[in-house]
Amino acid sequence: MQLPFAESYKIKMVETIKKSTREEREQWIKEAKYNLFNLKSEQVFVDLLTDSGTGAMSDKQWSELMLGDESYAGASSYYKMKTAIKDILGFDYFLPTHQGRAAENVLFSVLVKEGMVVPGNSHFDTTKGHIEFRKASAIDCTIDEAFDTTAHHDFKGNVDLNKLEKVLMSYPLEKIPMIIMTVTNNSAGGQPVSMQNLRDVYTMSRKYGVRVVFDSARFAENAYFIKQREAAYADKSIKEIVKEMFSYADAMTMSSKKDAIVNMGGFIGFKDEDLFKQASVFGIIFEGYITYGGMSGRDMNALAQGLYEGTEFDTLDSRIKQVAFLGQRLKDFGVPSQEPFGGHAIFVDVKRFLPHVPKEEFPAQTLAIELYLEAGVRAVEIGAILADRDPVTRENRYPELELLRLAIPRRTYTNNHMEYVAAALGNVYARRNDIKRGVKIIKEAPIMRHFTVELERL
Ligand SMILES: *Cc1c(COP(=O)(O)O)cnc(C)c1O
């Protein structure tokens, strides 16, 4: 008999989580103004809000915390991180930052000016926020297949080279500070970008003289998919694949809260010393001195260790198989999701789940509320609320995909929790026709409104 799959770790410490009653949840979600970000974590049983900073560190990472060097300048922890970044990613220069968006803030302070355009594959919301905040625009060049959740494509995170070249030909090149490649493509459903596509984009970027920056939060998951799906890489190690991926980048921003499996942290990697020096000025103003940039020494140590662990095949295999396990269970209940299943999350296709709730009533948010009421499971809307208003017209933007994201923290929940979540959403699916109305916005912030929006049920 073929042996079943089993995780490549065992549990050393546990944390209690509590179930609640439907009556309690009715009360709490009302008090939270129907925004799941406003819930207290103790009001949640299984928390799939995000896989960012919510993973379980290993015994080795916890040990590294004790070895942290908290010297203001020149700490050994900085050099540990520098060595790991050179070893695994191949960048000679780097700046620590307190998280991914801080890396964007520092780098874009050098690169992005009013009136510029930044092409890429479905820019992440903070990335887009940092571009639009500087009165520049992000142009999405992702392949069309990414927007059809039923279309099969191994690399739905890919850039459409024709769309990209059109942008490169339509603007003066000094107005295009970079091309951003998001690996994996979070907004399209944690979908990977192929090595071929990374190589082709890089080749095109040399032709036009535009730099390529990787938004790298889930680079290791991306490498895993390349190994599984791109024939030429089946026999390469994850670390070899990662090295080649980053050979097609001039710089990178990293949220280490994802594939480096730490609770807080980030960095920027540079190949070019001059850009590193320019960014250092902003790093010092916004984050801290060059050798700690918003991070404690102990956290830099845990991050360095996390980069090694996060690029181990077995770590990735355990993780991505758990995500697929949830995806398959949901599919067994008939719940429609983006396929193939992504690396860090299952993205439920809400246009197919609640087709009768109008887009103006935010169906994905409506489903997030229903799932919470059903079972105390917290997921997140990736739809029109997240998409914000158009910065110029101030009209609501309705993205092609209206999704509910179930993000799985790394090494945190068991497959029994996944069974629980699947059954809960299966129950909501069974009574989907009774959900006739959605929600309306009562209050919203001018940018990145999803974190603080206040809603009312219709
Ligand atoms: C999380 C994330 C960011 C932002 O990182 P933070 O650490 O949350 O600030 C940027 N890009 C992508 C693709 C991400 O997933």
Side-chain angles (χ1 to χ4, degrees), residues 99-101 104 124 126 182 186 215 217-218 255 257-258:
Q99 60 184 93
R101 69 198 69 184
E104 292 164 354
F124 184 65
T126 61
T182 312
N186 188 348
D215 182 359
R218 299 183 184 79
S255 169
K257 303 167 70 170
K258 283 63 171 252

Side-chain angles (χ1 to χ4, degrees), residues 50-52 98-104 122-127 182-187 215-218 253-258 264-266 344 405:
T50 176
D51 63 323
S52 178
H98 77 275
Q99 60 184 93
R101 69 198 69 184
E104 292 164 354
S122 312
H123 311 64
F124 184 65
D125 57 343
T126 61
T127 317
T182 312
V183 289
T184 59
N185 187 332
N186 188 348
S187 313
D215 182 359
S216 320
R218 299 183 184 79
T253 54
M254 176 74 186
S255 169
S256 306
K257 303 167 70 170
K258 283 63 171 252
M264 192 53 71
H344 67 293
R405 186 182 78 177

Side-chain angles (χ1 to χ4, degrees), residues 59-252:
D59 51 354
K60 293 210 172 82
Q61 287 180 291
W62 280 99
S63 315
E64 281 297 330
L65 294 183
M66 292 303 294
L67 301 174
D69 176 358
E70 306 303 341
S71 304
Y72 192 95
S76 66
S77 300
Y78 166 82
Y79 288 102
K80 221 172 226 178
M81 198 167 148
K82 187 176 168 69
T83 303
I85 289 171
K86 175 69 183 169
D87 246 17
I88 293 178
L89 308 166
F91 289 85
D92 285 324
Y93 305 95
F94 92 102
L95 282 174
T97 62
H98 77 275
Q99 60 184 93
R101 69 198 69 184
E104 292 164 354
N105 187 34
V106 169
L107 183 64
F108 296 1
S109 291
V110 180
L111 297 180
V112 182
K113 302 280 177 297
E114 186 170 344
M116 287 185 168
V117 296
V118 182
N121 56 342
S122 312
H123 311 64
F124 184 65
D125 57 343
T126 61
T127 317
K128 196 175 203 165
H130 275 297
I131 293 169
E132 292 178 351
F133 182 72
R134 292 174 170 80
K135 298 192 162 52
S137 26
I139 303 181
D140 187 1
C141 301
T142 308
I143 56 170
D144 291 336
E145 287 90 333
F147 305 104
D148 177 355
T149 58
T150 61
H152 187 92
H153 193 294
D154 279 342
F155 294 100
K156 283 188 172 178
N158 280 0
V159 148
D160 181 324
L161 295 165
N162 292 324
K163 290 187 194 173
L164 177 62
E165 187 147 41
K166 217 160 143 193
V167 176
L168 296 174
M169 291 189 314
S170 308
Y171 295 87
L173 291 174
E174 66 275 12
K175 292 272 183 213
I176 312 176
M178 64 189 141
I179 299 164
I180 292 183
M181 293 300 287
T182 312
V183 289
T184 59
N185 187 332
N186 188 348
S187 313
Q191 297 292 318
V193 182
S194 70
M195 191 73 87
Q196 183 66 48
N197 195 245
L198 293 173
R199 193 181 301 123
D200 290 344
V201 167
Y202 188 71
T203 305
M204 187 177 288
S205 76
R206 297 309 95 165
K207 180 171 155 200
Y208 289 90
V210 176
R211 69 172 70 70
V212 177
V213 176
F214 283 7
D215 182 359
S216 320
R218 299 183 184 79
F219 72 92
E221 291 172 6
N222 200 95
Y224 176 90
F225 285 119
I226 288 176
K227 183 175 169 69
Q228 303 301 81
R229 297 180 187 171
E230 213 165 336
Y233 295 90
D235 297 326
K236 297 245 195 268
S237 71
I238 297 294
K239 287 183 171 68
E240 285 169 329
I241 294 170
V242 165
K243 264 280 171 64
E244 182 176 342
M245 283 169 59
F246 284 99
S247 73
Y248 305 127
D250 297 291
M252 65 176 288

